[in-house]
Every structure is written in structure tokens, then in C-alpha cells.
Amino acid sequence: MPGTKGLFIPGPTNVPQAVRLAMDIAMEDQRAPDLPAFTLPLFEDVKKVFKSRDGQVFLFPSSGTGGWEAAMLNTLSPGDRVLITRFGQFSLLWADMCQRLGIEADIVDVPWGEGVPVETFAEKLKADRGHSYKAVLVTHNETATGVTSDIAAVRRAMDEAHHPALLFVDAVSSLASIDFRMDEWGVDVCVSGSQKGFMMPAGLAILCVSQKALAARKQASLKRCYFDFEDMARTNKDGFFPYTPPLHMLRGLRAAVDLLLDEGLDNVFARHYRLAEGVRRAVSAWGLRLCAKDPKWHSDTVSAILIPEGFDSAALVRHACTRYNLSLGMGLNKVAGKVFRIGHLGDLNEIMCLTALAGSEMAMRDMGIPVVAGSGVAAAIEFYRTQTATPALKAA
Ligand SMILES: *Cc1c(COP(=O)(O)O)cnc(C)c1O
């Protein structure tokens, strides 16, 4: 199809030209004497994206799922208990991984569309006087439902219960798009990946690990080899890797981190809020509702939109792709057929978001879903016009 493909799934996201060009390089020597001059500052700058000074960054060639596995293998032992909540496809898969690794997961199920049940967590942590929970696992942004949870509140609940468990956060679809504060929130392992807020292809698990979690490794007896923090730390210290690193990905990461830090993290977060809010205004103007049940849970990276009963969102997503060259997110698992998702994270601006809204309107009308032509686009336009431009554009 001629023209640009509209990529509005919540990852992989659009890769900016600066990142693509940075990756288009001749193969390099992974043991070159000047490699550390590139890698050591990169580790430090990636840490800034996590808002961490005390933590240590790990870059594993893997997707985000490997980051979950690394987090658990390096800190837990068979039979250890963890507290986790399940409210969407990603939190569900993480809980499943715990069980498959031989970890006893105390799973709190809440309706899809809600976030972490902080009160229930607080009660369970207080009741756990013997400190049987070794870790609390939280999905910061549940990509299946467009729900962002309050990590600071989970930390408060842990502190109020004087509970020493580690706090693991899946920030794969929030880091570098929604405010995240590793040190301030006392997060012990934060897991992210390259293909969402970092605006790169899939292929890197990007983790930040606290000193407490690194120390927990000594007692952790789950078997590990490829994902061992120790092997990685020993070679990373001098700027190298225990096995061949994906150097083109690291060059891309350098360019992506430069873009993020040049824009300024707070500006990046403000831009994501602004773009997301325009999408939410469009959803209301269509007369539709979000899957997220309360505004406090609205995600600034992805909106999961409920379509009226009697329609199939999978058919809608298929139609948008084949007819308009527009990729929207499908509904997954419990919300399959019921929601479609607009991913609004990464290298995006207002005009790009309007194409997703216009395409969604056309596809919905084609399917017979009763939305007024132009209604959502008009609501978003009028919202975007009232907002100040991104600093990057002003400077240009
Ligand atoms: C994308 C995503 C992951 C990781 O998925 P991979 O396909 O393994 O990269 C994990 N958690 C959340 C919340 C995600 O959005």
C-alpha cells in the first residue's frame, strides 16, 4: 500500500530516524579497546531514565519477558512466596511465569480495568508477620487494559507493614513515557524493554536493579546461567559483556536515550499525557468508554476502548489494517473482541495521533458502530489546540 503505515499498537512503537540511522552501522568488534568509552556512559545514562542513582542497569539481549525471568532467577529460591495481582494479559503472564519457575504466587485477582488493589496488598502484608513474601510484583502499566497503577502507594503499604520483601515492577510499557522513580519509590527490580518507550526494535530487556536485590542474589537458589546478574556485572564493570552483545541495538539505545534526555523526561511525560488526553476526549465524543474503570488508572501510553455489545473488536482491528493501513491493538484474552487499543507512546505528536483517531472513526463507521463522523477527531483537535507546543518544536 502506498503511504505511511499507521503504527498505533502499544509496542513495537515507531522508531525515530535518528535511532534507525544510529543502528545502520558496519559490524563492530565487541572486544575493541575503545568500546568501554561507549558502553560505560551508556549504562549511566540509561540509569537516569529509571531515575536511579543507586541502582545498576542490565541490558540482556531478549524481549521484555526475559527481563521478568532475570528478575526472579537472580533473587528468589524454589518455593519462595510472592504477592502479585492479576488484572490483564501481562500481569497474568508474569504470574504464570512465577508458577512455572516453581515460585509460590499468592495471586490477587481483580476485574480487568482496575489497578493494583493497594488496600488488599496492605492487609496481606500486615498479616504476613513471618515475612513469607519474598517479593511483591506489580505491573506499572497493564498494556492489555490501559491501566496505570500507583507504585508509590504500594511502597507506602510495604513500609507501613515494615515488610522487607523486594518490590519488582514491570514498567515495560511505562518507562520513558510515564513518570517512574526507581530510587524514590524504593523499587528493587524494574523491568523494561526496548520496543516501547525506548522507541527501538524489540530485542533488549532493560533492567535496573537495587543494591538490596543484588545482595539477595547470594541466597537465591533458582538455577540461572544466561541471565545471571553476576556474570553480567563482572564484565559490564569494565564496559564489556559475558557474551556477544547486540552492538547495533546498543548504538540505537544511545540515540534513543539522547532523544529522551534532550527532550527532558518531564517534557516526555507531559507530551504523553497531552497526546493521551486528546485520545480520551475523542473516546468520550464517540460516546464510548475506556476499559480502565476510573480516571486515576488512565494510562498515558495506551487506551483500551470498549466497543458496543454486538460488535467484534477483532474484526474492527482487521478492517482498519487491511482497508486503511492502520495498525491498532487487539483485545487480549478476557477482553478479546470487546476492546480495541490505541497505543500512544514513543515517537509521536498530535498530528500522528489524529491519524489514528480518524482511521479508527472510519473503521468503526464501516463496521456499523454508531459514532458520528469527525466527532472524536474534533474533540481531540480542540483539546490539542489549547495545549502548549512541545519544547522540542518550539526550539526548532
Ligand atoms: C510488552 C510488555 C511486556 C513484554 O513483552 P515482550 O513481548 O516480551 O517484550 C511485559 N509487560 C508489559 C506490561 C508489556 O506491555
Side-chain angles (χ1 to χ4, degrees), residues 63-65 68 90 139 141 143 170 172-173 195-196:
S63 81
T65 303
W68 287 342
F90 292 90
T139 302
N141 188 75
T143 319
D170 170 346
V172 180
S173 64
Q195 79 274 26
K196 297 185 184 171

Side-chain angles (χ1 to χ4, degrees), residues 10-12 62-68 89-91 93-94 139-144 170-174 191-196 202-205 302 341 345:
S62 136
S63 81
T65 303
W68 287 342
Q89 182 63 6
F90 292 90
S91 43
L93 288 173
W94 202 9
T139 302
H140 186 202
N141 188 75
E142 176 45 83
T143 319
D170 170 346
V172 180
S173 64
S174 55
V191 177
S192 188
S194 49
Q195 79 274 26
K196 297 185 184 171
L204 273 186
V302 53
R341 293 174 299 153
L345 72 163

Side-chain angles (χ1 to χ4, degrees), residues 4 25 34 37 57 73 118 122 135 153 186 263 281 300 356 366 384 394:
T4 311
I25 48 163
D34 62 349
V57 159
L73 296 185
V118 178
E263 184 176 352
R281 302 279 173 113
D300 286 342
D366 292 348
Y384 290 149
K394 266 195 286 186

Side-chain angles (χ1 to χ4, degrees), residues 18-41:
V19 174
R20 288 207 305 262
L21 292 176
M23 294 174 55
D24 184 6
I25 48 163
M27 278 308 124
E28 295 180 83
D29 172 4
Q30 85 270 22
R31 297 201 177 84
D34 62 349
L35 192 70
F38 166 70
T39 50
L40 294 174

Side-chain angles (χ1 to χ4, degrees), residues 133-186:
Y133 295 129
K134 296 300 173 221
V136 175
L137 277 52
V138 182
T139 302
H140 186 202
N141 188 75
E142 176 45 83
T143 319
T145 56
V147 163
T148 304
S149 287
D150 187 348
I151 305 299
V154 174
R155 168 45 69 196
R156 275 197 300 279
M158 293 174 73
D159 288 349
E160 276 161 21
H162 302 291
H163 204 294
L166 296 164
L167 175 58
F168 295 173
V169 177
D170 170 346
V172 180
S173 64
S174 55
L175 195 79
S177 312
I178 297 173
D179 195 10
F180 183 84
R181 306 177 187 190
M182 177 91 187
D183 289 3
E184 189 183 318
W185 295 343

Side-chain angles (χ1 to χ4, degrees), residues 87-394:
F87 44 58
Q89 182 63 6
F90 292 90
S91 43
L92 178 148
L93 288 173
W94 202 9
D96 176 61
M97 180 185 277
C98 292
Q99 292 169 331
R100 286 159 68 173
L101 291 176
I103 292 161
E104 193 192 315
D106 183 3
I107 300 171
V108 182
D109 273 305
V110 300
W112 289 32
E114 294 183 11
V116 173
V118 178
E119 290 80 34
T120 311
F121 268 31
E123 282 162 25
K124 282 181 168 281
L125 288 163
K126 274 197 198 118
D128 182 34
R129 291 205 180 76
H131 299 159
S132 71
Y133 295 129
K134 296 300 173 221
V136 175
L137 277 52
V138 182
T139 302
H140 186 202
N141 188 75
E142 176 45 83
T143 319
T145 56
V147 163
T148 304
S149 287
D150 187 348
I151 305 299
V154 174
R155 168 45 69 196
R156 275 197 300 279
M158 293 174 73
D159 288 349
E160 276 161 21
H162 302 291
H163 204 294
L166 296 164
L167 175 58
F168 295 173
V169 177
D170 170 346
V172 180
S173 64
S174 55
L175 195 79
S177 312
I178 297 173
D179 195 10
F180 183 84
R181 306 177 187 190
M182 177 91 187
D183 289 3
E184 189 183 318
W185 295 343
V187 174
D188 291 297
V189 183
C190 178
V191 177
S192 188
S194 49
Q195 79 274 26
K196 297 185 184 171
F198 282 105
M199 308 174 287
M200 293 182 36
L204 273 186
I206 302 171
L207 290 90
C208 195
V209 181
S210 73
Q211 295 304 321
K212 181 177 165 187
L214 287 173
R217 187 189 162 285
K218 296 191 184 70
Q219 287 86 48
S221 63
L222 278 172
K223 297 265 183 287
R224 55 190 171 261
C225 174
Y226 184 81
F227 284 120
D228 198 330
F229 286 164
E230 183 67 27
D231 293 348
M232 198 50 118
R234 201 182 315 118
T235 44
N236 276 182
K237 176 170 62 57
D238 302 318
F240 295 102
F241 293 83
Y243 36 72
T244 318
L247 282 171
H248 58 292
M249 290 291 285
L250 300 185
R251 294 288 176 185
L253 182 61
R254 176 72 265 172
V257 169
D258 286 345
L259 287 174
L260 291 167
L261 298 179
D262 285 352
E263 184 176 352
L265 288 178
D266 289 340
N267 294 327
V268 171
F269 305 147
R271 176 168 54 85
H272 280 83
Y273 166 77
R274 196 165 68 240
L275 297 178
E277 185 58 24
V279 171
R280 291 189 282 262
R281 302 279 173 113
V283 172
S284 322
W286 289 333
L288 300 180
R289 283 186 304 113
L290 292 170
C291 180
K293 291 187 201 294
D294 191 296
K296 72 178 178 196
W297 289 317
H298 283 171
S299 164
D300 286 342
T301 59
V302 53
S303 295
I305 301 155
L306 289 158
I307 62 165
E309 237 164 276
F311 296 96
D312 175 14
S313 70
L316 172 73
V317 169
R318 260 196 317 274
H319 177 71
C321 193
T322 53
R323 174 66 184 86
Y324 298 114
N325 210 11
L326 171 67
S327 278
L328 300 167
M330 316 256 289
L332 302 173
N333 196 328
K334 279 194 197 179
V335 290
K338 298 181 184 152
V339 307
F340 73 98
R341 293 174 299 153
I342 299 180
H344 33 76
L345 72 163
D347 186 34
L348 290 179
N349 60 24
E350 286 86 349
I351 300 293
M352 293 166 85
C353 283
L354 290 172
T355 66
L357 297 174
S360 300
E361 280 188 12
M362 289 194 285
M364 283 193 284
R365 287 181 55 78
D366 292 348
M367 302 301 290
I369 298 172
V371 296
V372 177
S375 58
V377 171
I381 285 174
E382 288 308 288
F383 174 74
Y384 290 149
R385 288 181 58 243
T386 63
Q387 304 293 301
T388 47
T390 61
L393 287 176
K394 266 195 286 186

